[in-house]
Amino acid sequence: MTMANNKTTCFTCNTEKITYSCEGCSKRFCLTHLTEHQQILNDELNHITNEYNEFKETINEQKQNPQIDLLIKQIDQWETNSIEIIQQKAEDCRKTAMEYLPTFFNDIEMKFNNLNEQIKEIHQENECNEINLNYLRNELIEITQELNNPSKISIKEDSQSFINEISIISSKISRFNKWKQNAITVAGGNGQEQKLNELDYPNTILAYQYRHLLTSDYWQDPTVEWKRNAKQGQELNQLNRPGGIFIDKNKNIFIADSLNHRIVKWKYNTKEGQINAGGNGQGNRIGQLNCPVDVIVDQRNHSIIIADGKNRRVIQWLNQKQQILIENIHCCGLAMDKHGFLYVSDSWNNEVRRWKIGEYNNEGIVVAGGYDQRNQLNYPTFIFVDEDQSVYVSDRNNHRVMKWRKDAKEGTIVAGGNGQGRNLNQLSCPQGVVINRLGEIYVADSNNNRVMRWREGKEEGKVVAGGNDGGSESDQLNSPMGLAFDDEENLYVVDSDNHRIQKFEMIL
């Protein structure tokens, strides 16, 4: 009788023997190796038991001393870091506030001294009249209000975060202004596609002037046909190659609507403008303008002063009455300082001249430029005059912005001056220029389709608007011209070849 064969292969020794199955791994082992396998499992169990006991001990230790728990450590570190940040922020704010106070009083004293000098000058020259008295009275009221008004510096708390962060808010101290990159069109930009067959500029000196002033490659030769399509128009909701702008205290925008030969005023947040000067066709008769380039408003009598470019004159409009202030001048940029002196850039004589109120019958005083090699300008366009009567000039064909301090004999380069180009240390045919309350220089870098900010003494500027190639999208510009800030430091740009005014809102 044959015995039954119940032998199978052992997983460990690979020999046919009587084997036993492990319930855990389902492998079969001979008796010897089953014992070994069980010992291995027991050893692993002991190891796990030891790890468990160690972990239990760790838990008990952390219960007794929770500071070593990782989460508590992170919280503790956050607490330490937050306290340090708060202390540093508080120290910075104290320092900033202490630095502001002397500057604040120095500004008040400077304004008061300037006003005192004007009073003395009026006494000495015996030139007292109602306009001067109103001006002096208003200046004294403004200085008094500024001295008694603490609102220019305050504490701002950001209550949205768990830790309230504080910072000093002051128009004179803010150092990191930024603007939304998608602008809002606040005037113009409502044109229809049209085609101009010929440019109505004969081959004259003034045609050459406008070929350069209204920028870049549109007029390669003023005698040939201009074949560039453009959105433009002469309706009250349209503009045609706007040049300079002026913004008053109520955010009304005065625009030199150059190729519509008019000055239009767009009241704040309206859909169309109203004609304040010109608009009666191109010409030099009463009520007419011929390619106005720039415009400013004399805040003392609310008259409009216009650089009437192709007529080669500076003209004043007051209650629809016109008065020619300066004749035979290739005027481009206009500015008026706090004392009422009028500044005009003469693009063909490469200089800026200044006139005293009511004394426009003389030649004025050269305050920038001239033909000395050190001071030479090459087609100056827009200008700006700061509180210290320093004159900033867009030196267009030298691709730079120059600064002449009051009574200086030569200027200094404050932006560009490294040849024509699009690098951050270069400009290309700069146009509008404006200085903010911090003394930062903003330039319409026309041929680069961008606005740049420069700080005096720095080798490079920074793009603050545009710079995304020429175009008509909300984040693009096309040959920007005039620049201006409103009282809230929103930036306005004359987007000339898009026939619109763009507002870049400041990010608070």
Side-chain angles (χ1 to χ4, degrees), residues 2-47:
T2 305
M3 292 182 62
N5 186 6
N6 59 354
K7 296 181 180 179
T8 56
T9 303
C10 173
F11 177 79
T12 301
C13 64
N14 201 25
T15 303
E16 284 195 1
K17 294 183 179 180
I18 297 175
T19 58
Y20 306 90
S21 176
C22 173
E23 295 295 332
C25 64
S26 298
K27 296 181 175 68
R28 299 189 69 85
F29 301 90
C30 66
L31 184 59
T32 301
H33 291 117
L34 177 63
T35 304
E36 291 180 356
H37 179 64
Q38 190 64 45
Q39 185 60 46
I40 291 173
L41 295 178
N42 289 336
D43 292 341
E44 289 183 2
L45 175 61
N46 292 333
H47 181 70

Side-chain angles (χ1 to χ4, degrees), residues 352 368-369 373-378 380 382-384 390-396 398-405 410-417 427 430 433 435 441 443 456:
V352 178
Q373 188 65 35
R374 294 173 305 170
N375 305 326
Q376 196 172 42
L377 297 171
N378 190 351
F382 290 91
I383 56 177
F384 184 90
S390 294
V391 180
Y392 297 78
V393 188
S394 276
D395 191 8
R396 184 191 184 279
N398 282 325
H399 312 291
R400 64 189 184 184
V401 176
M402 302 290 291
K403 176 182 179 180
W404 266 262
R405 298 186 183 276
E410 61 181 78
T412 57
I413 301 172
V414 293
L427 298 171
V433 58
I435 315 302
I441 303 130
V443 189
E456 191 171 347

